[in-house]
């Protein structure tokens, strides 16, 4: 038997004895911490510990999740719930690090969460899980805003009637719009820098000095 991923770990009752200390350690964290155990089939889950941030992040009491492990996923929106649970079970069975972004609905508000978990095989064939779920709603909002601004800029850039060229700090051309190509006859691949474009536009060196 391959024992590289096995650990001699305390059972859930022993873990539960340290719940008060874990509660103190995690009380100031903004994320939900889970210490859980999958059975040897990877289907049944028992939660030894769930931090009290569950109420704030998931809208579900930690005690409720400990009593009923299904409650952990009760506020995950239906479009994300199935794939989330499937990927988590697979990672547990394969002992692979798990990470996912998904949405929950709490009090009518949709929030984005990011989850991470690591797993270890126990001697009885079950699998322990150490995981956290963090609220990334604000980060996601900023990402979506940046993406929308980028898309808007690309549309304006592509459809602008004036020739536009974009360069980096070194003067290397990174993009030209359609009007630039139509008006000047050069595509991005034809010219690497502004100096190269200037030389091609005005091949007479004497004339270039005049302008």
């Amino acid at each position: 038997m391959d024992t590289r991923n096995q650990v001699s770990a305390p059972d859930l009752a022993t873990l539960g004895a340290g719940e008060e200390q874990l509660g103190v350690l995690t009380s100031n964290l903004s994320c939900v911490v889970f210490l859980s155990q999958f059975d040897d089939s990877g289907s049944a889950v028992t939660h030894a510990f769930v931090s009290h941030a569950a109420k704030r992040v998931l809208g579900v009491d930690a005690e409720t999740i400990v009593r009923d492990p299904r409650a952990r996923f009760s506020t995950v929106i239906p479009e994300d719930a199935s794939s989330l649970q499937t990927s988590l079970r697979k990672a547990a069975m394969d002992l692979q690090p798990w990470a996912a972004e998904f949405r929950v609905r709490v009090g009518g508000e949709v929030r984005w969460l990011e989850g991470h978990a690591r797993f270890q095989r126990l001697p009885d064939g079950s699998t322990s899980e150490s995981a956290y779920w963090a609220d990334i709603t604000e980060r996601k909002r900023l990402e979506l805003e940046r993406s929308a601004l980028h898309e808007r800029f690309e549309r304006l850039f592509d459809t602008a009637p004036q020739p536009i060229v974009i360069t980096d700090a070194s003067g290397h051309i990174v993009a030209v719009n359609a009007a630039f190509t139509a008006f000047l006859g050069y595509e991005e691949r034809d010219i690497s820098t502004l100096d190269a474009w200037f030389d091609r536009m005005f091949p007479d060196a004497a004339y270039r000095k005049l302008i």
Side-chain angles (χ1 to χ4, degrees):
M1 179 186 297
D2 186 352
T3 60
R4 287 175 298 176
N5 290 310
Q6 288 191 352
V7 293
S8 296
D11 59 22
L12 292 177
T14 305
L15 284 173
E19 182 175 348
E20 184 176 350
Q21 291 91 329
L22 285 169
V24 172
L25 289 171
T26 61
S27 61
N28 292 322
L29 297 178
S30 59
C31 58
V32 190
V33 176
F34 302 92
L35 296 180
S36 314
Q37 191 167 325
F38 290 78
D39 67 7
D40 56 6
S41 70
S43 56
V45 182
T46 305
H47 293 301
F49 173 79
V50 179
S51 67
H52 289 292
K55 180 64 174 178
R56 182 173 66 255
V57 176
L58 298 175
V60 184
D61 290 325
E63 294 78 7
T64 300
I65 298 174
V66 171
R67 288 195 305 270
D68 180 5
R70 293 171 300 180
R72 178 178 179 179
F73 302 94
S74 61
T75 56
V76 178
I77 67 171
E79 295 90 337
D80 295 352
S82 178
S83 60
L84 180 69
Q85 294 181 70
T86 299
S87 67
L88 190 61
R89 284 195 298 268
K90 185 177 189 308
M93 296 304 293
D94 296 342
L95 299 181
Q96 293 296 315
W98 175 83
E101 292 184 358
F102 52 96
R103 294 161 294 174
V104 298
R105 188 181 299 277
V106 179
E109 174 194 4
V110 174
R111 302 175 183 172
W112 277 95
L113 302 188
E114 179 180 70
H116 291 267
R118 290 188 176 272
F119 307 91
Q120 290 179 308
R121 192 80 74 224
L122 303 179
D124 64 359
S126 63
T127 303
S128 69
E129 175 199 14
S130 301
Y132 72 87
W133 289 6
D135 188 332
I136 60 166
T137 303
E138 182 62 16
R139 189 187 83 190
K140 204 70 177 178
R141 182 185 67 80
L142 293 174
E143 288 177 356
L144 293 172
E145 284 183 357
R146 284 196 296 268
S147 177
L149 286 172
H150 181 73
E151 290 178 3
R152 182 183 178 190
F153 171 79
E154 284 193 332
R155 287 196 300 270
L156 291 172
F157 177 77
D158 291 338
T159 60
Q162 300 85 7
I164 302 175
V165 58
I166 299 175
T167 68
D168 61 19
S170 301
H172 289 86
I173 293 174
V174 296
V176 299
N177 70 345
F180 182 95
T181 300
F183 185 71
L184 299 173
Y186 297 113
E187 297 185 6
E188 183 183 334
R189 63 174 180 268
D190 298 326
I191 44 176
S192 57
T193 66
L194 284 177
D195 288 340
W197 169 75
F198 194 68
D199 289 345
R200 295 191 67 169
M201 279 293 295
F202 307 103
D204 188 324
Y207 181 73
R208 285 201 303 270
K209 292 179 179 180
L210 298 175
I211 58 174

